[in-house]
């Protein structure tokens, strides 16, 4: 029976490992797979709010957690809702019958956009996620889901969904609500200006001076009331157009613009590019084992050459050549004059705008136009404050089902975007990863641990507007007191022996006045005013006149005061030297950059570092970059 104890021990060890595996499978704990040394009571108190996942809600949770970590987006939500509260519901509740192009609009949809339902719902959700709970806290995203369902008039399915599609829908809706609110503010300004001008014209025609003055006063009162209702847009400038007003407003931070430029390789004609707005850049991941974010950008923005393109300018030149052949075959002078007139019109269009052919001139069939080769490329003209990048990993095969591209994509923490003349630098703030196959899997969010000011106010220096901070009515005339160092920076390295001659000179000059105390020399004080200096001098003069000792006693007192001055001076210099060195040391200390991240998987949250985030090359799915503050004004 020698093998029986060994068999029992083997069975016991197997049973214990199986029990641990079952516990970890059905109730995972970060004590097993996390950095247990970093999980302390202080770090747990500094955690963030998690989101519950009752039924395949990880695609919603990762999007909300990523948006909650964007400081510029949170500032925009606070500013936009504050602007709407200042304007009042009467501005955003009125809906025009037709749009600017004269087309019919859906009043119910436009009213919903102007009210900003999704903007308010997202702001409330982000505020709840940015709390710093003292213990573990989990909330539900059901409130925001109901806001989306009410805004779009549909029900969001809880089956396997794509986080990128949800983020695209939410970002586009936020952009539409911003533009609808901006258009409503512009319409209110136009309506506020019309009664004033109309009243002035009517009073001028009637010629009644008393009524004109009374009507003008009433119209000014009406305009002032409309200015108070229209908010920041009306208060920026009264005589500026809509384009100037739009420039004063900070737009949606996720929105940027691109232009697709084409150039004919034969005549080098470049047609006007139509700008296209975007809230997310969709980049294809190359089908190879490893790649980088720069490779994805180069593949999307590279110059591609297209054959068999019908150039507008080449078509007009071809028409001119055809008319000249027809002119050579003309038999009457009337036909020659008509053909020459058509040729002049076509030449004017070629030299002017080839995209607009002249009226009254029949061009040859477009099938007969020559085919040219063009160069086409896309460039970013308006850089967003928050750059959202989606790495598309879908591989489509018509002979089989879709598959997921498992290539490794390296991405940097700081990423420059643009050319040499219009470059912007971005910093990584968040990331969404996906683990699984093309049809199923799980999403996780990585958020940088930033502490943003919830009420950031970059417009405090403006003269007008709802966010301006005016100057105080009675500014203080007395400057704030400032501490003066006892020793200059150049004297920090001086030795006590070098300081002795200076002390002796000070003691010689002090013989004519009262000797200073040791406290006044050792401690730095604020600079006194002129009145205090006069009082001290008068007191010193009174003391010297009142005390008139004999020569022997005065010599003794002078020598004792000299020794006291030397001792107190050296002590004060050493103490001030130590304090100054401490101040310099405090100034040299720099705050370490935020290298800590939150790794969020629904309601499970743990800490990680930047290197851990950059190592997720195989799982990276969406990236959130924020523009550096030094590049926002460029």
């Amino acid at each position: 029976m020698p093998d029986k104890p060994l068999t029992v021990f083997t069975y016991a060890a197997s049973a214990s490992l199986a029990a641990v595996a079952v516990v970890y499978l059905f109730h995972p704990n970060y004590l097993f797979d996390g950095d247990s040394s970093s999980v302390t009571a202080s770090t747990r108190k500094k955690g963030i709010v998690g989101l519950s996942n009752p039924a395949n809600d990880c695609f919603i949770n990762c999007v909300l957690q990523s948006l909650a970590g964007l400081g510029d987006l949170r500032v925009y939500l606070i500013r936009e809702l504050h602007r709407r509260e200042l304007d009042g519901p009467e501005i955003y509740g009125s809906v025009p019958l037709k749009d600017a192009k004269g087309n019919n609009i859906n009043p119910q949809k436009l009213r919903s956009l102007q009210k900003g339902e999704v903007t308010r719902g997202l702001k409330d959700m982000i505020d709840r996620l940015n709390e710093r709970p003292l213990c573990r806290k989990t909330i539900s995203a059901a409130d925001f889901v109901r806001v989306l369902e009410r805004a779009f008039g549909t029900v969001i399915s809880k089956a396997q969904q794509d986080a990128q599609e949800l983020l695209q829908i939410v970002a586009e809706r936020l952009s539409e609500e911003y533009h609808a609110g901006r258009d409503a503010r512009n319409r209110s300004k136009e309506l506020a200006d019309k009664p004033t001008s109309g009243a002035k014209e009517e009073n001028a025609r009637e010629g009644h001076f008393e009524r004109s003055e009374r009507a003008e006063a009433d119209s000014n009162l009406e305009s002032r009331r409309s200015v108070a209702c229209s908010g920041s847009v009306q208060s920026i400038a009264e005589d500026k157009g809509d384009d100037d007003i739009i420039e004063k407003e900070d737009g949606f931070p996720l929105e940027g613009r691109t232009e697709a430029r084409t150039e004919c390789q034969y005549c080098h004609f470049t047609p006007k590019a139509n700008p296209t707005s975007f809230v997310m850049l969709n980049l294809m991941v190359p089908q190879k084992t490893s790649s980088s974010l720069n490779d994805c950008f180069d593949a999307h923005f590279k110059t591609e050459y297209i054959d068999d393109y019908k150039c507008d300018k080449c078509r007009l030149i071809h028409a001119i050549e055809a008319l000249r052949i027809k002119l050579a075959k003309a038999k009457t002078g009337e036909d020659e004059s008509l053909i020459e007139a058509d040729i002049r019109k076509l030449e004017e269009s070629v030299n002017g705008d080839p995209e607009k052919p002249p009226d009254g001139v029949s061009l040859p069939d477009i099938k007969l136009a020559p085919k040219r080769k063009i160069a086409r490329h896309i460039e970013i003209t308006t850089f967003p404050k928050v750059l959202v990048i989606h790495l598309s990993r879908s591989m489509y095969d018509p002979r089989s089902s879709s598959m997921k591209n498992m290539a490794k994509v390296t991405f940097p923490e700081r990423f420059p975007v643009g050319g040499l003349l219009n470059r912007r630098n971005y910093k990584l703030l968040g990331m969404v990863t996906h683990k699984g196959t093309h049809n199923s899997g799980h999403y996780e969010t990585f958020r940088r641990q930033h502490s943003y000011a919830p009420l950031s106010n970059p417009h405090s220096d403006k003269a007008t507007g709802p966010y301006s901070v005016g100057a105080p009515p009675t500014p203080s005339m007395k400057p704030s007191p400032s501490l003066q160092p006892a020793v200059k920076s150049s004297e920090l390295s001086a030795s006590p022996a070098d300081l002795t001659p200076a002390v002796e000179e000070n003691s010689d000059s002090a013989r004519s006045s009262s000797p200073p105390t040791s406290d006044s020399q050792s401690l730095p004080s604020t600079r006194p005013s002129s009145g205090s200096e006069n009082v001290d001098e008068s007191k010193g003069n009174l003391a010297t006149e009142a005390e008139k000792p004999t020569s022997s006693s005065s010599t003794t007192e002078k020598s004792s005061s000299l020794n006291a001055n030397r001792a107190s001076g050296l002590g004060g210099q050493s103490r001030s030297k130590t304090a100054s060195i401490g101040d310099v040391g405090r100034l040299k200390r720099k705050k370490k950059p935020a290298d800590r991240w939150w790794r969020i998987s629904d309601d499970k949250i743990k800490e990680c570092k930047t290197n851990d985030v950059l190592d997720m090359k195989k799982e990276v799915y969406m990236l959130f970059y924020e523009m550096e503050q030094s590049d926002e004004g460029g």
Side-chain angles (χ1 to χ4, degrees):
M1 303 291 292
D3 297 337
K4 188 175 180 179
L6 181 60
T7 306
V8 173
F9 177 75
T10 304
Y11 286 154
S14 302
S16 60
L17 290 176
V20 172
V22 169
V23 171
Y24 176 72
L25 179 62
F26 291 99
H27 187 68
N29 194 342
Y30 285 115
L31 292 176
F32 295 102
D33 58 353
D35 189 6
S36 59
S37 61
S38 62
V39 180
T40 60
S42 60
T43 57
R44 284 196 296 267
K45 289 182 180 180
K46 297 178 182 179
I48 57 177
V49 180
L51 291 171
S52 60
N53 185 4
N56 298 327
D57 290 344
C58 62
F59 73 101
I60 301 176
N61 297 341
C62 72
V63 170
L64 292 177
Q65 291 285 6
S66 301
L67 296 179
L70 304 177
D72 285 334
L73 177 62
R74 192 181 182 193
V75 170
Y76 160 77
L77 296 175
I78 295 174
R79 181 186 296 119
E80 184 66 18
L81 293 178
H82 182 61
R83 180 188 286 119
R84 293 171 186 267
E85 291 177 359
L86 292 178
D87 294 343
E90 61 275 0
I91 293 180
Y92 302 97
S94 60
V95 178
L97 299 178
K98 295 184 179 181
D99 57 3
K101 298 181 180 179
N103 301 325
N104 295 327
I105 59 177
N106 187 358
Q108 183 177 0
K109 180 181 179 180
L110 182 58
R111 188 176 290 107
S112 176
L113 292 175
Q114 292 181 167
K115 289 182 178 179
E117 297 178 356
V118 179
T119 301
R120 187 174 299 277
L122 182 61
K123 190 258 182 186
D124 296 339
M125 195 69 203
I126 287 180
D127 289 344
R128 296 174 62 189
L129 290 176
N130 279 306
E131 295 179 3
R132 290 296 181 264
L134 298 178
C135 58
R136 182 176 178 180
K137 183 178 180 180
T138 303
I139 61 176
S140 175
D143 296 338
F144 182 70
V145 173
R146 283 192 289 268
V147 170
L148 292 179
E149 293 177 348
R150 184 170 59 254
F152 290 98
T154 184
V155 179
I156 297 179
S157 175
K158 295 303 180 67
Q160 294 288 342
Q161 299 290 342
D162 191 2
Q164 180 266 337
E165 295 178 357
L166 178 64
L167 180 59
Q168 185 82 23
I169 292 173
V170 173
E172 289 180 354
R173 175 73 183 200
L174 294 174
S175 178
E176 291 176 358
E177 289 183 353
Y178 165 71
H179 289 288
R182 187 193 63 184
D183 294 341
R185 290 188 288 270
N186 293 337
R187 288 196 303 268
S188 67
K189 179 185 180 301
E190 294 176 358
L191 294 176
D193 294 340
K194 284 182 180 179
T196 305
S197 59
K200 289 182 178 180
E201 293 178 0
E202 183 179 358
N203 294 330
R205 287 194 303 267
E206 293 179 357
H208 299 286
F209 299 101
E210 295 180 358
R211 292 182 57 186
S212 64
E213 293 177 358
R214 189 182 300 109
E216 187 174 359
D218 295 340
S219 63
N220 292 334
L221 181 59
E222 292 284 341
S223 63
R224 284 195 297 270
R225 290 176 178 175
S226 63
V227 167
C229 295
S230 61
S232 63
V233 179
Q234 175 69 11
S235 60
I236 290 174
E238 186 177 358
D239 299 332
K240 292 186 177 180
D242 295 341
D243 296 337
D244 296 335
I245 295 174
I246 294 174
E247 293 179 358
K248 294 295 183 180
E249 293 187 12
D250 290 336
F252 184 54
L254 273 68
E255 184 178 4
R257 285 192 176 186
T258 59
E259 289 184 358
R261 301 183 182 274
T262 59
E263 181 182 359
C264 180
Q265 299 299 296
Y266 182 80
C267 64
H268 301 286
F269 170 67
T270 302
K272 295 180 181 178
N274 295 324
T276 304
S277 61
F278 70 93
V279 293
M280 179 189 304
L281 286 180
N282 298 308
L283 307 180
M284 295 295 299
V285 177
Q287 297 184 13
K288 52 185 180 180
T289 56
S290 62
S291 180
S292 64
L293 187 59
N294 288 325
D295 296 339
C296 299
F297 261 82
D298 293 341
H300 184 76
F301 293 98
K302 70 177 181 180
T303 302
E304 57 181 349
Y305 296 92
I306 304 174
D307 296 325
D308 300 338
Y309 183 81
K310 302 297 181 66
C311 176
D312 295 331
K313 185 175 181 180
C314 292
R315 186 187 179 190
L316 295 181
I317 295 174
H318 175 262
I320 293 174
E321 293 176 355
L323 288 178
R324 286 176 178 173
I325 295 174
K326 188 178 179 180
L327 179 62
K329 298 179 181 181
K331 297 181 180 180
T332 61
E334 184 178 358
D335 294 339
E336 292 180 357
S337 60
L338 293 176
I339 294 174
E340 290 177 354
D342 293 343
I343 291 175
R344 285 194 297 269
K345 292 180 181 179
L346 290 175
E347 289 177 349
E348 292 178 358
S349 298
V350 169
N351 298 327
D353 189 1
E355 295 182 284
K356 295 181 180 180
D359 298 333
V361 179
S362 60
L363 299 177
D365 192 0
I366 193 171
K367 296 180 180 179
L368 302 176
K371 297 179 180 179
R372 304 301 186 189
K373 182 179 180 180
I374 63 169
R376 181 180 181 272
H377 71 279
I378 301 174
E379 64 180 13
I380 300 177
T381 56
T382 303
F383 294 87
K385 290 184 177 180
V386 178
L387 180 62
V388 183
I389 301 173
H390 166 235
L391 299 177
S392 180
R393 293 181 174 269
S394 299
M395 295 187 301
Y396 300 99
D397 190 355
R399 293 172 294 181
S400 62
S401 60
S402 300
M403 299 176 59
K404 180 182 178 181
N405 188 353
M406 304 299 293
K408 294 182 179 180
V409 180
T410 59
F411 53 94
E413 182 181 3
R414 281 179 168 80
F415 185 58
V417 180
L420 296 176
L421 300 178
N422 58 342
R423 177 167 294 181
R424 301 291 186 273
N425 297 320
Y426 286 88
K427 182 180 180 181
L428 184 64
L429 286 189
M431 180 182 65
V432 173
T433 60
H434 180 265
K435 294 182 179 180
T437 62
H438 184 270
N439 299 321
S440 63
H442 181 68
Y443 291 100
E444 288 185 349
T445 305
F446 290 80
R447 282 177 53 183
R448 188 184 290 272
Q449 294 186 13
H450 269 316
S451 56
Y452 291 98
L455 296 175
S456 179
N457 185 8
H459 297 288
S460 60
D461 57 341
K462 303 294 182 181
T464 58
Y467 316 107
S468 62
V469 178
T474 55
S476 177
M477 300 301 296
K478 185 177 180 180
S480 301
S482 60
L483 295 177
Q484 300 295 332
V487 183
K488 297 181 180 180
S489 58
S490 60
E491 298 177 358
L492 290 177
S493 59
S495 61
D498 299 334
L499 296 175
T500 304
V503 174
E504 293 179 354
E505 293 177 0
N506 294 336
S507 63
D508 294 339
S509 61
R511 293 175 184 177
S512 59
S513 60
S514 61
T517 60
S518 60
D519 296 337
S520 62
Q521 292 182 357
S522 60
L523 296 177
S525 60
T526 58
R527 184 173 297 176
S529 60
S530 59
S532 61
E533 292 178 355
N534 297 334
V535 172
D536 294 339
E537 291 177 359
S538 61
K539 288 182 180 180
N541 295 332
L542 291 175
T544 52
E545 290 177 1
E547 298 178 0
K548 293 184 178 180
T550 59
S551 60
S552 60
S553 60
S554 62
T555 305
T556 306
E557 290 179 358
K558 287 181 180 179
S559 61
S560 61
S561 63
L562 178 61
N563 296 331
N565 289 336
R566 289 180 178 179
S568 61
L570 290 175
Q573 293 287 351
S574 61
R575 285 192 297 270
S576 62
K577 177 181 178 181
T578 305
S580 301
I581 294 175
D583 296 338
V584 173
R586 284 194 297 269
L587 292 176
K588 288 184 177 179
R589 295 194 193 102
K590 293 183 179 179
K591 188 177 180 181
K592 295 182 179 179
D595 192 36
R596 307 298 298 177
W597 290 68
W598 298 116
R599 181 174 182 176
I600 309 169
S601 177
D602 295 331
D603 58 341
K604 302 175 183 64
I605 302 169
K606 69 175 183 179
E607 285 188 341
C608 62
K609 295 184 179 180
T610 305
N611 294 332
D612 301 332
V613 177
L614 299 180
D615 288 340
M616 306 295 291
K617 305 173 184 178
K618 197 173 181 179
E619 297 84 4
V620 59
Y621 187 62
M622 287 191 295
L623 297 169
F624 298 84
Y625 283 91
E626 185 182 40
M627 185 185 295
E628 298 283 352
Q629 294 182 358
S630 59
D631 298 330
E632 290 184 3

